[in-house]
Amino acid sequence: MHTQRMAVSVSVLALLTLAACGTESDSGSGGGDTVQSDVPVTGVAWSVDSMTVGGKKTEAPEGSRLEFDPKGRAKAGFGCNHIGADARVEGDRITLAKPVSTQMACDEKTEKFEKAALAAMDGELTAKLSGEKLTLTTEGGDTFALSEEKPTGLAGTRWAVTTLLSGETATSVPADLPKERVPHLTFGEDGTVHGNSGCNSFHGKAEVKGSTITFGPPAGTRKMCPESEMEVERAVLAALDGPATYTIKGSTLTVTSEDGKGVGATATPATAEGTQEHG
């Protein structure tokens, strides 16, 4: 899959003119060439607002997202599982293929939406832009309605950890963790971080400079939990150790340490803070 680098814009004309560039870049050059375009599809965090199937509109589960990265992959989440698919962007057409999903148990409403979305993510979609809104239409006439996500601020946001990273491998945090054991972290304006690492609560220093966070040694409780929770905790703490780079796309935070250990986290309402340092 050829590499495409796209800057954020809202130009429908630019979307339509990408077709020629996209064709030229697929010349077997080994991915060395990049395509610059004003198309706000790749590299943008999109919030999924709703999906219309057979004329029936269904609101998307809270936190539903869709993203096309510059390496030819689409990543999505509709409130439960993590989904990935090959993605080819040419002009106003996006071709998705080989969608794969984690297999976590979901509530019935979320599962129904997720299955419909997965079916739509295996074929050709037509993209139409209107301001910061994006509509994707399947060949059968079903549609996704999306909105461009604005980056969430790092400090003061409660970040719930959803993914554990190790080099090129990403593992979902187990969905059956007790609610109070779901790892999360909150950065303060004063260069601190606190939260729960999967079993124990913790706090420590977190100095932010540019795209780098330098974590100091954490302090916290020392309880023992079931091995599944301790395993998550070890992975989270490994990512929050020393210098790490971070990125925020919409409501998603990625923190990666120098040795490739990292976490992916999603902004959650502040009202969820209630039990974070207890238990």
Side-chain angles (χ1 to χ4, degrees):
M1 186 65 63
H2 62 277
T3 301
Q4 300 183 44
R5 185 176 61 203
M6 303 181 181
V8 176
S9 171
V10 291
S11 168
V12 176
L13 178 61
L15 180 63
L16 298 174
T17 57
L18 179 63
C21 297
T23 302
E24 292 172 1
S25 65
D26 192 19
S27 57
S29 59
D33 296 335
T34 58
V35 177
Q36 289 191 347
S37 171
D38 290 332
V39 181
V41 174
T42 299
V44 177
W46 296 103
S47 174
V48 182
D49 301 325
S50 64
M51 185 176 183
T52 301
V53 178
K56 182 180 179 181
K57 179 179 177 181
T58 304
E59 296 298 320
E62 184 178 354
S64 294
R65 302 179 71 257
L66 177 60
E67 182 180 343
F68 304 98
D69 70 25
K71 297 180 181 180
R73 290 289 293 172
K75 295 181 289 184
F78 302 103
C80 185
N81 284 289
H82 298 282
I83 299 167
D86 292 337
R88 183 183 184 88
V89 181
E90 292 183 305
D92 65 345
R93 303 297 173 92
I94 301 171
T95 304
L96 299 174
K98 302 177 183 177
V100 294
S101 172
T102 56
Q103 299 298 316
M104 295 186 291
C106 314
D107 65 83
E108 185 177 351
K109 184 178 179 180
T110 300
E111 183 177 352
K112 185 177 181 180
F113 189 95
E114 195 174 79
K115 283 183 177 179
L118 266 171
M121 290 181 66
D122 192 6
E124 188 174 271
L125 303 171
T126 301
K128 182 179 180 180
L129 290 162
S130 178
E132 295 178 348
K133 301 289 186 180
L134 172 66
T135 301
L136 301 178
T137 305
T138 70
E139 293 175 281
D142 299 329
T143 60
F144 285 104
L146 307 98
S147 302
E148 182 182 341
E149 287 189 2
K150 300 301 182 184
T152 303
L154 177 67
T157 300
R158 184 186 190 275
W159 297 100
V161 177
T162 57
T163 308
L164 306 175
L165 309 174
S166 181
E168 296 297 319
T169 302
T171 305
S172 297
V173 170
D176 57 355
L177 283 180
K179 197 169 186 179
E180 68 275 12
R181 302 296 183 216
V182 175
H184 56 83
L185 50 154
T186 300
F187 295 89
E189 297 283 0
D190 57 353
T192 61
V193 62
H194 67 270
N196 188 291
S197 48
C199 174
N200 290 282
S201 60
F202 74 94
H203 62 274
K205 296 291 186 181
E207 184 181 2
V208 181
K209 287 187 177 180
S211 61
T212 299
I213 304 173
T214 301
F215 294 95
T221 57
R222 295 179 177 274
K223 293 174 296 189
M224 295 299 294
C225 296
E227 179 56 26
S228 61
E229 296 168 29
M230 298 303 295
E231 186 177 346
V232 169
E233 176 161 282
R234 287 191 288 269
V236 171
L237 292 178
L240 310 181
D241 182 17
T245 58
Y246 82 94
T247 59
I248 297 176
K249 290 185 178 180
S251 59
T252 298
L253 166 70
T254 302
V255 178
T256 310
S257 64
E258 292 182 334
D259 63 0
K261 303 294 184 183
V263 296
T266 302
T268 57
T271 53
E273 285 278 357
T275 59
Q276 70 175 19
E277 311 305 346
H278 304 290

